[in-house]
Amino acid sequence: MGDKTNNPYDMDGSSFDADRYLQKLLKECSLKQIMDTEATIVRQTQTLHSDMQTLVYENYNKFISATDTIRKMKTDFKSMETEMNLLMANMNSITEFSERITDTLQETRSQLTRLSGKHQLLKKLQFLSSLPAKLKTLIEEENYQQAVQEYSHAQKVLQQYGQQPSFQGIQEDCIKILDELKERLKGEFRQTGKSAQSLTEIGELLLQLGERPSSLAKEMLECASKRLHEQIVVLQDQTDRDMIEFIDLGIEGFLKDLTLVISSYSDMFLTKHLEQEADDFEQTARIDLNAFVNRNVDEYLALVQDRAELEIGHGDSQIILRGLDRLHRRMTAMRTLCRAVDMSKSGIDIIVNAAQQLCQTHMRSLKDHFADSLSSVRLALVSSANTAPAGTAATSSSSQSGAAGGQGSTSGHTTTPLRELISNLYISTIEKVKGLMQDLLIFLQPEWSFNLKGDPKGVQCIEGIRENLLVAFLRHFCATVNGYGTVSSTAPPTLLLVLSKVCLEMDRAGVHALTSLVDELYNLDAERSGTLVHESELCTEMRDSAQLLLDSYVRLQGLHLSQMLRKSVETRDWLNCLEPRSVRAVMKRVVEEISAIEAVLGELYDSSVTQHGGSRTTASSDSSRKTHFSIAASKQSQFRSTWSTYTPQSQLDSSFVSNMQRLFSEKIEIFAPVEFSKVSIITGIIKICLKTLLECVRLRTFSRYGLQQIQVDAHYLQMNLWRFVSDEKLVCNSLIHVLLDEILGSAVLRCLEPILMEPNAVEIICERN
């Protein structure tokens, strides 16, 4: 700090040297910098001069203002001193005159006191003598309160001097008049249509007239109940008003009268000590009041709840909740009047019921939306099948729909991509659920006076929203799609495939997205809760539904193709066949159908890699064809060597060997669950087809050419089906070859002349087709 003060180059310091500062600038700075420094110094100097002038002007104005104030204060103090002196003179004069008046009236004061007492007595006597007539006049004018007040003023005098003959007649007349007044008041008290305020006023008058409190208390509650019931009847007719107006009418009518009855009843019978009643009267009266309040509040809340149930799902939820919030505020305020009845609890019950009602409405909306979405998907699939070009696999498949029991195959390409249908169904369902769950958040807005999270019933209601809406809908989703996978279902196979993929998508991401959203929105912890359904349980149900639908798809497609194979075997005369020159048309049709199915599955499942991890080989691969032919040749040579020298004994030996091989071979599960892959699905379909063909062959008897036709057909299937189910490395172990070998072996066993065709001839026929 000292360095800065003693610095000769600091303009703000006391040791500033202008010459040295100038010399330093000339040595160290350029001309432009010197000119900029000069401009800066000039500008700062002008600013400093301006600030100094402003300070001078401000202080000058303040000084002038202070001078004027002091001058004014001197003037005011002078006038105030003059007025104080004048006030002192007036006070002295008043004191002097007061002393003179006191001295003058001292002698007559006692006389005036006696006269005043006599005057008051005469006024009382005059009041008592005119009291009966005055009471009649007031009663005729229906000014009952004034009549009771007039009698109350004279009651003590009449009780004290009523035995004297001059007052006895007046007392008897008053008692007679008041008895008539009491009967009239009782009649009006029992009349229907009286407001709560009128009942209160009449009750107060009857108590002042000596009516017994115990009987009056019960009668008051009965009359008030009639009046409140009339209010409820009026509210029942207000169907054209919205919820806020309906609640306001109830607050201004029913609840206002109820509040007045409770407060008046408490003032008349509970807060006062009534000596003419028994000691337990207050307890009895309080029990009667609580029963009265409970009965009427329950009736009113039942009406409000019925109205809310009518509005929920049809009206604006915001308006409905705003009305219920007003009701809850009013009932919470009434809680201090009748502590035995939890008013706010009753209001919460209505709001919880409204939330449950809205949840049920949303559940119906979700079910309807899902049903409409499924109908749209079915319509899109039917439209796509109907608009498919003639000659496609879809058209040829649908032409055979009658053979499949009304379930026409829709296995060909459709004009609407299946992925688009799956995406639309999945996204629309997810978004609909999210929207409705967001809509129910209206019950948890901080602006409401009620707090569902702070009430046990409210917490159960919030958990119920998750369980009764989200979880229930997801299970409804599973149950609905499972219905399409039953044996009796008439759903098209492609629909089962679409629904299976949607279930898989729900298992993969949909269930987690919905449960996470709901748990976050409603602040729930499903992981630690013992009552909430866990996400993994829902995912398991979705995956089970997907598996069921996929198995049903395989079963339907397999049965459709099996029916064609069964008819082709049953309708042919295998004992009178001609020598085979071509593959039967049904075998070509089966291959075409499976190709069409593969095309549909190709839209939904990755076909670049097999389930074993190897690369798929195209159908035209020469190496694959050669491998297959070598296998076929070896099989055929085995059958030729076995069956060319046909004898019964050799047939028995071959049957024994075949049965032994089947006994120790791995069992083939025809209807086993398939995996979620194209290869597994097609394998399942082909297994059903070949198993059907095998069973049909076992029921027939073949001639030589019939056996050779089966040999040609089996070889054709081997040439074309292998590429659908496995890769080149697993051809020898493929299920197709095992089943085809069993088919040919069964045909040989059931042939009258088991002689097989040469392998080269079979190859030529199959290649030509």
Side-chain angles (χ1 to χ4, degrees), residues 608-743:
S608 61
V609 179
T610 66
Q611 60 182 350
H612 300 288
S615 301
R616 292 294 303 270
T617 307
T618 60
S620 59
S621 171
D622 293 337
S623 61
S624 300
R625 190 182 306 172
K626 289 177 181 178
T627 304
H628 170 69
F629 288 158
S630 64
I631 295 173
S634 64
K635 293 289 182 181
Q636 290 165 358
S637 63
Q638 175 186 346
F639 282 119
R640 184 171 63 251
S641 62
T642 303
W643 298 99
S644 58
T645 57
Y646 171 73
T647 61
Q649 184 62 38
S650 64
Q651 181 181 7
L652 291 175
D653 294 341
S654 300
S655 300
F656 179 76
V657 171
S658 176
N659 290 330
M660 288 298 294
Q661 290 177 350
R662 188 181 299 111
L663 180 64
F664 291 101
S665 62
E666 184 178 356
K667 184 179 179 181
I668 300 175
E669 293 289 343
I670 302 300
F671 293 98
V674 298
E675 299 177 3
F676 295 97
S677 66
K678 184 174 72 172
V679 171
S680 178
I681 295 171
I682 296 181
T683 301
I685 296 172
I686 293 176
K687 283 194 300 183
I688 296 175
C689 297
L690 297 183
K691 183 64 175 177
T692 302
L693 182 59
L694 173 62
E695 296 301 325
C696 292
V697 167
R698 286 176 176 174
L699 297 176
R700 311 301 294 179
T701 302
F702 299 91
S703 64
R704 173 183 175 181
Y705 293 138
L707 172 62
Q708 293 177 0
Q709 183 65 60
I710 294 295
Q711 181 185 4
V712 170
D713 292 344
H715 187 74
Y716 178 80
L717 292 178
Q718 279 185 331
M719 287 178 59
N720 291 278
L721 296 184
W722 71 271
R723 59 191 175 92
F724 297 117
V725 298
S726 187
D727 57 58
E728 198 173 43
K729 298 177 182 178
L730 299 176
V731 171
C732 295
N733 298 324
S734 174
L735 294 175
I736 291 178
H737 304 295
V738 174
L739 290 172
L740 288 175
D741 287 345
E742 287 191 14
I743 291 170

Side-chain angles (χ1 to χ4, degrees), residues 573-585:
D573 186 3
W574 295 100
L575 293 176
N576 299 309
C577 290
L578 299 176
E579 185 177 357
R581 292 290 183 266
S582 65
V583 179
R584 288 190 299 148

Side-chain angles (χ1 to χ4, degrees), residues 1-16:
M1 189 70 181
D3 296 342
K4 186 177 180 181
T5 305
N6 298 326
N7 188 4
Y9 302 108
D10 184 14
M11 289 185 182
D12 297 330
S14 58
S15 302
F16 176 68

Side-chain angles (χ1 to χ4, degrees), residues 518-550:
V518 173
D519 292 346
E520 180 180 354
L521 290 178
Y522 295 94
N523 196 19
L524 298 174
D525 189 359
E527 296 288 340
R528 300 181 180 179
S529 175
T531 58
L532 299 179
V533 177
H534 195 267
E535 172 189 328
S536 60
E537 184 177 344
L538 298 173
C539 290
T540 301
E541 294 178 10
M542 284 292 175
R543 193 164 187 87
D544 291 342
S545 297
Q547 185 68 58
L548 173 65
L549 292 167
L550 192 60

